[in-house]
Amino acid sequence: MRYRIIHDTNYTFSAPVFLEPHLLRFRPQATPFHHVEQFELTITPTPSGHRQQRDAENNLIDSCWFDGVHEVFSIRTESVVHVAEHNPFNFILYPATAMQVPFKYNYQLGLVLQPSLQGMGIGNDLRHYGQALLVQTQHNTSIFLMALTQQIQQDFTAIYREEGEPFLPDQTFAYREGSCRDLSWMMIQLLRHLGLAARFVSGYNYLVTDEEPSFELHAWVEVFLPGAGWIGYDPTHGLAVGAAHVPIAASSAYENTMPVSGNIRGDARSELVTDLQIELLADFL
């Protein structure tokens, strides 16, 4: 699959403001299956300084800083990404203890994964939801993860919320509905409660259906499995992550995957307008 992605993000301010240094997360990430053929970034106003950098979790992001005061802040990115068809289940779990949940990561791995193992408190109803499915799948790691992904898709209504932080996991569970980031954050916290390292991923998703193709700025879950590495699961669509997903940023904290991070200085109201277009291109092979 080969995608052209055009993403516009426009802030308008009711009065001139000073833009503090900002971090931008719009670059599709290269993986063994994702090849970024083209990436162009246009920032308005033109920053006085701009630097690409790896963040603390190895995401390639852009840092920019500005002079003067401004009434608009716009980011436009154009990407072309080739995603190789691949089998998301083509992995082994090693050592064999990882084939059953719960299992323990070895000491060194546990240190590295610690931020993705630190869970927040969740209620008994959500705990029992996970435990019941764990028993039903006989604690088999691979079967349980896929069953949980599909069960959330079946039991929860996916809604669209353009802005805002994810709901608390117990809120999402009680509402029985949520955006992709709500459902992903709930699944992450449930997995951490079961001792699995899980992190939040933001990116693009392109779905081919019998009707019109659909695309969106999306969120999903990655779980670190010994022998396999980070494996993606999409609870909104009930799928293992494959060629329809293009990652932008992954983190143990969802805040570190937001497209734009930074503050303004000044007394003004802001309005945000975004637009995303994804086109499926002919493969070059």
Side-chain angles (χ1 to χ4, degrees):
M1 310 285 272
R2 190 164 174 252
Y3 304 105
R4 173 178 288 117
I5 304 166
I6 300 176
H7 192 171
D8 287 295
T9 303
N10 299 295
Y11 294 91
T12 304
F13 304 104
S14 60
V17 298
F18 182 83
L19 300 171
E20 300 283 5
H22 277 67
L23 299 177
L24 309 179
R25 302 179 184 88
F26 291 94
R27 291 181 178 272
Q29 300 294 303
T31 78
F33 310 108
H34 297 80
H35 173 58
V36 182
E37 298 178 23
Q38 174 189 331
F39 180 80
E40 296 178 7
L41 170 65
T42 304
I43 304 170
T44 305
T46 302
S48 57
H50 169 220
R51 183 176 187 271
Q52 295 176 37
Q53 62 179 260
R54 291 282 179 187
D55 68 12
E57 293 169 283
N58 208 36
N59 300 295
L60 184 60
I61 64 174
D62 291 87
S63 167
C64 54
W65 54 97
F66 304 88
D67 291 327
V69 293
H70 307 279
E71 295 185 20
V72 297
F73 180 31
S74 300
I75 304 113
R76 180 182 178 87
T77 60
E78 297 186 43
S79 313
V80 175
V81 182
H82 180 259
V83 188
E85 292 287 350
H86 60 280
N87 176 4
F89 303 106
N90 181 30
F91 60 80
I92 61 167
L93 298 180
Y94 185 83
T97 51
M99 297 174 70
Q100 293 277 306
V101 178
F103 62 82
K104 280 193 175 296
Y105 298 97
N106 68 42
Y107 177 73
Q108 292 297 338
L109 203 48
L111 290 178
V112 173
L113 295 173
Q114 194 58 37
S116 297
L117 287 164
Q118 291 286 347
M120 60 195 310
I122 60 174
N124 287 333
D125 290 344
L126 181 52
R127 290 170 187 247
H128 293 157
Y129 183 81
Q131 286 290 345
L133 203 57
L134 196 56
V135 171
Q136 185 180 324
T137 56
Q138 300 181 331
H139 293 247
N140 182 290
T141 303
S142 297
I143 295 174
F144 166 70
L145 288 169
M146 199 60 239
L148 178 62
T149 304
Q150 294 173 333
Q151 197 67 49
I152 291 174
Q153 190 270 334
Q154 292 171 22
D155 293 344
F156 293 78
T157 300
I159 62 173
Y160 180 72
R161 285 198 303 124
E162 186 176 10
E163 296 182 64
E165 297 184 349
F167 293 144
L168 293 172
D170 287 337
Q171 285 180 306
T172 302
F173 189 75
Y175 297 160
R176 281 294 198 273
E177 67 175 25
S179 66
C180 56
R181 57 190 182 282
D182 300 322
L183 300 177
S184 294
W185 194 237
M186 180 186 72
M187 181 171 170
I188 286 168
Q189 295 303 325
L190 178 55
L191 293 173
R192 290 178 181 177
H193 167 69
L194 295 170
L196 294 166
R199 67 181 182 181
F200 191 95
V201 185
S202 69
Y204 301 112
N205 181 225
Y206 186 97
L207 286 178
V208 178
T209 65
D210 294 336
E211 303 173 352
E212 290 289 319
S214 64
F215 50 83
E216 59 189 344
L217 186 62
H218 195 45
W220 59 90
V221 177
E222 284 186 344
V223 185
F224 192 90
L225 299 176
W230 289 106
I231 301 296
Y233 296 89
D234 182 348
T236 306
H237 299 303
L239 302 169
V241 168
H245 297 73
V246 177
I248 300 173
S251 175
S252 58
Y254 64 82
E255 296 93 335
N256 296 334
T257 68
M258 298 298 104
V260 180
S261 297
N263 295 317
I264 61 169
R265 203 189 315 157
D267 185 13
R269 296 184 307 277
S270 66
E271 181 182 5
L272 170 63
V273 177
T274 64
D275 183 65
L276 175 66
Q277 299 295 324
I278 302 180
E279 178 186 2
L280 183 61
L281 304 175
D283 255 323
F284 60 84
L285 296 178

